[in-house]
Amino acid sequence: MKTEALIESLARDVQPVRSKPFGLHLDTAGAVGLALAFLGVFFVYGVRSDLSGSMIAVFAKAAFCFAGLVVAAPLLYLLSRPNIGARAWLAPVFLLSAVSLGVAAIVLVQTPPETRLHAWIDAGVPACLQRIPLLAVPVAAALLFVVRGLAPTRLTFAGAALGGVAGAIAGIAYSWFCPVDSIAYVATWYLAAILLCAGIGAVLGRWLLRW
Amino acid sequence: MRQKPEIWMRVAGTSAAALVVPQMVAPRWERFLQKAGEPNPRPTPRSRRSITLRCPTTSAAWGFPAAVTGGREPDAGFRADCKKDGLRWTSSVQMSTPHHSWRALAVGARVSSIEAELHDLMVRGLAGDAAAHRQLLDLLSTQFRIFFQRRLRVGDPSYAEDLVQETLIAIHSRRDSYDPSKPITAWVYAIARYKMIDYFRRTKTTGISVPVDQIGELFSSERADSTDAARDVASLLHHLPSKQRIAIQLVKLEDLSVREAATRTGMSESDIKISIHRGIKKLSALVAKGDRS
C-alpha cells in the first residue's frame, strides 16, 4: 500500500478526540487493582484475627506501602506514554529505599542481640516476599490493560514502574493480613517485595507491554 | 524536571481522592465549566508561546522565526526569517558572540518552529479538523522516511516505508493518549523509535545486517569495474577508423582543445569535430549492440 493512500484513508474520517485527562485511566485501574487485592486478602488469606487491637500497626504498614505507591506512580504516569523524561523521578524511589533501609538498620542495632534475628525475619524466610507478588498479579493485570492502550515506548522501564506500583498497591491490601508488626521486618521485606515486583515487571515488560 | 509541580499535585491530589473523594468528580466538573463558557484552565503549552530571538548587541527582538538557516560554521552567522507586523523579515547576523551559543540558538529555534507547526496541526486534528490531520501525517511521513532510511541504511528501502506506515498508524490510533501540554516532537519520535526497535526485535536484525545470500552485493568489486571501464573504452576505440579514434583520444580522453588536436594531427578543426561526432555515434552503437548480445 502506498503511504499517500494510507494517509488518505486515515485522514478520511477524523472524529474529534477528547484528550484523556492526565492519568485518569491509570488511577481508575489502580483503584480497581486495590479492590482486587483486598478481595484477594479477604478471601484467600483472611484478615488477621486481632485486627481491632492492631489497627495502628496495620495503618502504619499501609502507609509505608502508600509511600511506595506515591514514589512509583509518577514513573508509571510518565513511562506509560511516549514522552520520555522520567529520570528525575527515580530520586524519590532511591530516597525512600535508603531511608527505610536506614530505619531498619537503626532499629535492629537497638534491639537486643538475642531477639534481633527474630525481629528481622520473624520465623524463617519472610512470607511476604511470596505473598505480595502473588497479590500484585491481579493489580498488574488491571494496570497492564490500561498501560498498553497508552503506548509505552520503553518497555523494560515501564514494566518496572508498573510492577512497583502493583507491588505497592498489593502491599496496602496485604497489611490487613500480615501478622508481623516489627518495624525492621516491614522496612526491609515489604520494600524487598515491592522491588521484587518491579524486577519481575522489568523482565516481563518487554513481552507483556508490546503493542 | 519542568513537569515536577504538576505531577506532584496530580499524584497527591488523585491519591487522596482515591481514598476519600470519588475521583470522577474533578474531570466532570472541568467539562462542566468548559460547557458553561468558562475559559479552559489549561495553561498555554510551552511550544505555542512565540519564540523571540534577540540580538545580543542591539537587543532587538525578531519575533517568531519561521525558518532559521546557517549557524553551523564558526564565522558564517545565520539567517532568521521572521514574521513581524504581518511582513516577512529576513535578518542576517554576523558573529559577534561565541559561535556555539548562536548555533544553539539557531538550532533550537529551528526545532521549536517545527515543534510549533506540528503541535498546531495535532491540536487541530484532535479537534476534528481532517485537513490538519492529513497535513500532520504528510509532514510526519517525510520526516519519518528520513529518520528510518538513515537508520536502515543497508537493505530494502521498502522496510523503511513499512515502518513509516506502521508509525503513522500508531500515531493515528493512539493520538488520544497525547497530552497537548507536552512537546509533540518527543512524542512522535518516541513512537517512531519504538516501532523501529520493535521491528529489529521481530526480525532479529539490526540496522546494519544483510541477508547472507546478498552479501556478495555488499563487496561488489567497484574499483575493478572502474579500471575495466578504461580497458573497455580502449578496446572499443580499436573498432573505429583511425581518424575518429585519434580525434576522440586527443579531445575526449586527453582533454586537448579542438584547435590543439587540429594542429597536432594536421587535420582541420571542423574535420576533428565531425570525426568526434561520428566516432561517438559509432561507439554508442557498438555499446548498444554489446548490451544486446
Side-chain angles (χ1 to χ4, degrees):
Chain A
M1 194 184 189
K2 285 272 176 61
T3 305
E4 289 78 24
L6 176 80
I7 293 174
E8 195 67 31
S9 67
L10 288 182
R12 190 169 297 143
D13 189 29
V14 178
Q15 299 297 327
V17 173
R18 204 201 313 271
S19 195
K20 286 171 189 163
F22 185 75
L24 175 66
H25 288 196
L26 276 175
D27 296 346
T28 316
V32 170
L34 185 64
L36 288 176
F38 267 115
L39 286 179
V41 167
F42 289 146
F43 290 109
V44 179
Y45 300 125
V47 183
R48 58 188 284 181
S49 47
D50 54 342
L51 185 68
S52 55
S54 55
M55 276 320 268
I56 294 174
V58 166
F59 274 114
K61 282 185 277 189
F64 177 76
C65 295
F66 188 73
L69 176 62
V70 168
V71 298
L75 288 170
L76 185 60
Y77 282 139
L78 291 172
L79 287 168
S80 60
R81 283 157 196 280
N83 300 357
I84 301 163
R87 197 167 296 167
W89 291 92
L90 277 174
V93 176
F94 288 125
L95 196 68
L96 181 73
S97 311
V99 165
S100 67
L101 288 181
V103 166
I106 291 169
V107 170
L108 279 181
V109 165
Q110 285 173 345
T111 45
E114 52 271 20
T115 56
R116 194 173 288 163
L117 191 66
H118 185 263
W120 191 41
I121 58 171
D122 194 46
V125 181
C128 69
L129 275 184
Q130 172 210 342
R131 285 174 181 157
I132 289 183
L134 272 180
L135 276 176
V137 169
V139 187
L143 288 172
L144 264 179
F145 183 72
V146 171
V147 170
R148 282 165 63 107
L150 289 174
T153 54
R154 292 293 194 98
L155 300 188
T156 303
F157 294 125
L162 194 150
V165 168
I169 291 177
I172 292 175
Y174 182 70
S175 358
W176 259 257
F177 163 74
C178 180
V180 188
D181 293 338
S182 150
I183 292 176
Y185 178 90
V186 173
T188 314
W189 300 113
Y190 273 43
L191 178 75
I194 294 173
L195 290 180
L196 179 66
C197 292
I200 295 171
V203 173
L204 296 182
R206 52 186 298 186
W207 285 286
L208 295 180
L209 287 173
R210 270 173 89 167
W211 49 279
Chain B
M1 291 297 279
R2 73 171 84 111
Q3 303 104 333
K4 216 165 204 171
E6 188 192 327
I7 288 170
W8 267 119
M9 284 159 62
R10 274 287 177 183
V11 170
T14 49
S15 27
L19 290 178
V20 190
V21 189
Q23 50 166 332
M24 300 299 282
V25 169
R28 268 190 201 160
W29 179 243
E30 198 176 308
R31 236 171 281 155
F32 172 75
L33 280 181
Q34 277 172 32
K35 268 185 197 158
E38 293 288 320
N40 191 346
R42 214 184 260 286
T44 316
R46 189 171 292 264
S47 58
R48 299 196 69 188
R49 287 181 210 141
S50 70
I51 289 139
T52 322
L53 285 180
R54 242 172 231 289
C55 177
T57 46
T58 64
S59 290
W62 294 332
F64 191 89
V68 181
T69 49
R72 283 183 183 280
E73 280 74 44
D75 297 314
F78 75 92
R79 233 181 56 196
D81 295 320
C82 309
K83 230 177 175 177
K84 203 176 171 189
D85 309 327
L87 292 169
R88 276 206 116 74
W89 290 67
T90 298
S91 313
S92 276
V93 176
Q94 280 299 289
M95 279 317 133
S96 54
T97 46
H99 73 273
H100 51 266
S101 64
W102 276 116
R103 183 183 162 181
L105 197 64
V107 171
R110 193 186 302 142
V111 169
S112 310
S113 75
I114 293 172
E115 162 74 28
E117 188 178 3
L118 290 180
H119 187 274
D120 182 47
L121 290 174
M122 182 69 167
V123 168
R124 273 159 54 200
L126 285 175
D129 183 346
H133 191 58
R134 171 171 315 163
Q135 207 182 336
L136 173 83
L137 294 180
D138 260 334
L139 255 173
L140 287 178
S141 74
T142 30
Q143 300 239 345
F144 289 154
R145 202 164 291 127
I146 298 166
F147 178 84
F148 287 130
Q149 278 174 359
R150 199 174 281 165
R151 282 160 182 78
L152 305 170
R153 209 165 283 156
V154 184
D156 193 350
S158 67
Y159 289 141
E161 204 56 37
D162 285 351
L163 278 174
V164 170
Q165 297 189 359
E166 271 183 43
T167 313
L168 289 181
I169 291 173
I171 282 172
H172 174 80
S173 57
R174 309 260 163 168
R175 71 206 152 107
D176 56 346
S177 75
Y178 171 64
D179 181 353
S181 65
K182 298 269 158 46
I184 185 169
T185 328
W187 190 78
V188 293
Y189 276 105
I191 291 181
R193 182 185 157 282
Y194 171 77
K195 282 293 172 192
M196 189 173 67
I197 290 174
D198 195 50
Y199 163 78
F200 290 153
R201 216 181 265 149
R202 225 169 33 220
T203 57
K204 302 252 193 291
T205 55
T206 62
I208 51 161
S209 74
V210 238
V212 169
D213 50 352
Q214 291 173 16
I215 206 150
E217 292 169 21
L218 252 191
F219 305 109
S220 100
S221 45
E222 286 194 5
R223 206 162 293 171
D225 287 350
S226 67
T227 53
D228 283 353
R231 205 163 52 222
D232 285 349
V233 170
S235 69
L236 277 173
L237 280 175
H238 278 289
H239 291 285
L240 298 181
S242 60
K243 205 167 138 191
Q244 294 170 7
R245 186 177 68 227
I246 288 165
I248 288 178
Q249 209 148 25
L250 289 180
V251 177
K252 294 291 174 189
L253 299 182
E254 293 178 21
D255 261 353
L256 298 180
S257 71
V258 174
R259 176 170 298 175
E260 285 168 339
T263 51
R264 196 181 287 189
T265 56
M267 294 192 283
S268 72
E269 280 183 36
S270 59
D271 209 2
I272 293 273
K273 282 184 196 162
I274 290 169
S275 297
I276 292 171
H277 181 71
R278 287 184 183 154
I280 284 184
K281 214 169 180 181
K282 193 162 182 189
L283 275 181
S284 56
L286 280 171
V287 170
K289 203 169 82 182
D291 278 351
R292 253 179 276 128
S293 63

